[in-house]
Amino acid sequence: MNIKLFNVALGMALTATTLSASAQKNYTQGVVSFTTEMRGQPAEVKEYFTADSTAALITMGPANVKILSNAKHDFFAVVLDVPVASIKKAGIATPAEVEEAMSQLPNFTFTPGTETKQISGFNCKKVVAKDAKSGKTYDIWITNDFTVPETALPVYYAKIGGFPVQYTAFQQGQETSITITSIADTIAPAGTFSIGKDYIKGSMADLSAQ
């Protein structure tokens, strides 16, 4: 199971508690979640964040995946739990693996547009993102209805000037469309940002061999 992912902020939205866009809240920690598709199958994602760390919890069929990263982007781990197969393994990226994953991400410049619209109740404006590597452009819709730590943003959109609500995410050369629906200040459960002692640890290459 090849799950070498570096998109530590795979997108956000869909929580049990919906926030009105007019609240203009400053989030120092919380959770964002969304439903997307990974490797051809639906995936439920919840991403908990603080100013220092992120933990994206993903449900893919029988597998539970946790993607961990920190604010410096020099730590990255994927924790795999497949109860039906009695698998509990964690891949911790080596410095070389981190460097390789970072090199595969787009390098954007941003041009603010004049178009505005509401998406999922958030007041959004369009920003055109152009990748210096491929030359491709993407329409990204951001909101300034609230603020979050930079850790809660996909690393390639960190300087876009707001919180991406509708955007394109990138992983392993693949593009995925994401639409945010909500955000909440839910506190992460204990152990969310760590790897359990009962997991077998190795490199990302070791985990990708699954």
Side-chain angles (χ1 to χ4, degrees), residues 79-90:
V79 185
L80 176 64
D81 181 11
V82 188
V84 296
S86 299
I87 293 176
K88 282 195 169 187
K89 294 189 175 183

Side-chain angles (χ1 to χ4, degrees), residues 15 34 106 148 166:
T15 62
F34 65 98
V148 295
Q166 193 170 77

Side-chain angles (χ1 to χ4, degrees), residues 132-172:
K133 297 179 180 179
S134 67
K136 294 180 65 174
T137 60
Y138 302 84
D139 291 343
I140 313 300
W141 292 86
I142 68 171
T143 186
N144 295 114
D145 286 344
F146 56 85
T147 61
V148 295
E150 193 169 294
T151 51
L153 303 173
V155 62
Y156 36 83
Y157 293 133
K159 305 302 181 183
I160 199 169
F163 184 89
V165 173
Q166 193 170 77
Y167 62 97
T168 301
F170 301 86
Q171 58 182 39
Q172 293 184 279

Side-chain angles (χ1 to χ4, degrees), residues 40-82:
Q41 59 179 306
E44 298 289 336
V45 183
K46 288 187 176 182
E47 183 182 62
Y48 289 90
F49 64 87
T50 67
D52 301 318
S53 305
T54 61
L57 310 183
I58 307 168
T59 302
M60 298 174 57
N64 297 310
V65 182
K66 180 165 65 173
I67 302 173
L68 302 175
S69 187
N70 63 4
K72 295 181 179 179
H73 305 299
D74 59 4
F75 172 79
F76 173 62
V78 174
V79 185
L80 176 64
D81 181 11
V82 188

